[in-house]
Structures are given as structure tokens and as C-alpha cells.
Amino acid sequence: MTDNKLRCALVYRLEGGGSSEVTLLAKYDHASEVEAGELYGSRDKSYSDAVGMVIANDPPSGVADENTIGGFKVVQSDMHQVIYGADSEGLCLAVITGKKYASRAAIKMLQDLYTPYSEQFGLQAKSATNGSLTKKSKTILASTCKKYDDDSKVDKAAALNVKVEEVKLQMQDNIASMLKNTEQAESLAERSSQLN
């Protein structure tokens, strides 16, 4: 089962020097705030560790400009997708969404989150320990997740897809109704011919 839900936002530091090591700085489980239950049904399963391994195995690349996030990657599983990117200093932002959530909207979310996050926590992120910025980052991560919770409100193509689906359903209803009316008309014509 796939969906278009925004699940969580995560912040990592990519360790320099060609190392594939990443440090989780902050996480915000948006799904548990808006739905019953946690991301994978239990706090024992650490989605942040799984995303950290994904990023370590395939880090964002090609980011040369200072003060911008780029090198975006999209990795999909059966039910979810992870979208992430980083700046030239190793600040890496990631988001987990359902597979039907538009990756364009997720990338836009990461771009919108980057500037205020790097301005507020950029210096701390360079030396922070594992998970130490989670509480401090909650407000900014929560407000960004809330803004991007519904991809159809921030992505015109996703909004158009919603409208197309609505039209398709209406057309199916209209066709079913037309077929029913045709059957009734044929039945009436048959009865009429029997009376003559």
C-alpha cells in the first residue's frame, strides 16, 4: 500500500574527508503528530538509522555552491521514498514520504527548509552529537512539515493530478449511468415490440 503522506524530516551531518559516515543531528516524526501511531508502528524500529545508511551508501554529490542545498537523490522502497540533499559543508536534509508524494514537492520542501535551518543551526550542526538538535529543531521541522503535509497544496502538478482523478471518477459514474439507461431503454423497446 502506497500513499502520498509526508512521514518525517531528518537532518544529518556528512562527515568530510571522503568518509561515508553520517551523524543524525535531528529528526521529526510528522506522521506520529498527525496520525495515530509512529512511522513504522513502533519506536523500536529506527527509521533514522535506515535513512542514515541510505545516505552513507549513496551520498548527495555535485554540490559546489555555498549556502545552497543540492545533489538531490530519491530512493524508493515498497511503501516509502527517501528524498535527500546536502550543502557543500555537509549539512544533509532528508524527508520520508509515501511513494505517491510528489518528489518535486519534497525537494521544494528541503530547499525551503535549508535556509532557515542553516542560519539557525548551521554552526551547531558542525559539531553537534548524535540527536542533540532534535528538541531545538522541532519547531522549524514541524512548521515546514505542516506546510508541506499535502503535496497537492504546494505542487501544481500534484494538484492537477488530484483534479484529473476526480474527473476520471465522475466520468466512470457517468458511463455506468449511461449503460444502465441504455439497458433500460432496450428493455422498454423489447416490451413495446411484444405488445404490438
Side-chain angles (χ1 to χ4, degrees):
M1 183 173 111
T2 61
D3 60 42
N4 67 337
K5 303 252 189 250
L6 177 63
R7 298 292 177 198
C8 69
L10 305 121
V11 181
Y12 295 88
R13 180 181 61 241
L14 305 176
E15 304 301 339
S19 170
S20 63
E21 203 173 310
V22 298
T23 301
L24 173 70
L25 302 176
K27 63 182 177 179
Y28 174 69
D29 186 356
H30 181 65
S32 70
E33 298 291 328
V34 297
E35 300 172 359
E38 288 80 29
L39 179 61
Y40 293 108
S42 159
R43 292 256 184 230
D44 299 331
K45 298 178 182 174
S46 182
Y47 60 88
S48 58
D49 290 342
V51 173
M53 289 189 320
V54 167
I55 294 170
N57 288 333
D58 190 14
S61 59
V63 183
D65 297 335
E66 281 190 36
N67 301 322
T68 60
I69 187 171
F72 295 104
K73 304 231 174 165
V74 178
V75 177
Q76 293 187 336
S77 70
D78 291 340
M79 294 177 58
H80 299 95
Q81 60 183 351
V82 177
I83 300 96
Y84 59 97
D87 69 6
S88 59
E89 298 290 316
L91 180 62
C92 179
L93 303 179
V95 64
I96 299 175
T97 68
K99 280 180 76 171
K100 291 184 180 177
Y101 191 94
S103 58
R104 291 177 306 278
I107 289 171
K108 185 172 178 6
M109 175 189 164
L110 296 176
Q111 290 170 328
D112 285 355
L113 174 61
Y114 174 76
T115 299
Y117 195 89
S118 63
E119 287 173 358
Q120 190 170 353
F121 299 107
L123 290 176
Q124 295 174 52
K126 291 180 181 184
S127 60
T129 58
N130 191 28
S132 63
L133 296 178
T134 295
K135 286 183 182 177
K136 294 177 184 177
S137 302
K138 184 175 181 175
T139 303
I140 194 168
L141 294 176
S143 65
T144 304
C145 285
K146 184 176 180 181
K147 176 181 176 183
Y148 284 88
D149 185 51
D150 184 353
D151 65 341
S152 67
K153 291 181 180 173
V154 293
D155 182 56
K156 291 179 183 178
L160 186 60
N161 282 339
V162 168
K163 289 180 183 177
V164 166
E165 288 302 316
E166 290 171 359
V167 169
K168 283 169 56 176
L169 288 173
Q170 184 62 48
M171 295 281 291
Q172 289 172 347
D173 290 345
N174 292 347
I175 290 170
S177 180
M178 184 180 74
L179 290 173
K180 185 177 177 183
N181 290 341
T182 302
E183 288 173 9
Q184 289 175 346
E186 288 174 355
S187 175
L188 282 173
E190 187 177 310
R191 284 193 224 150
S192 173
S193 67
Q194 288 175 352
L195 289 175
N196 290 332

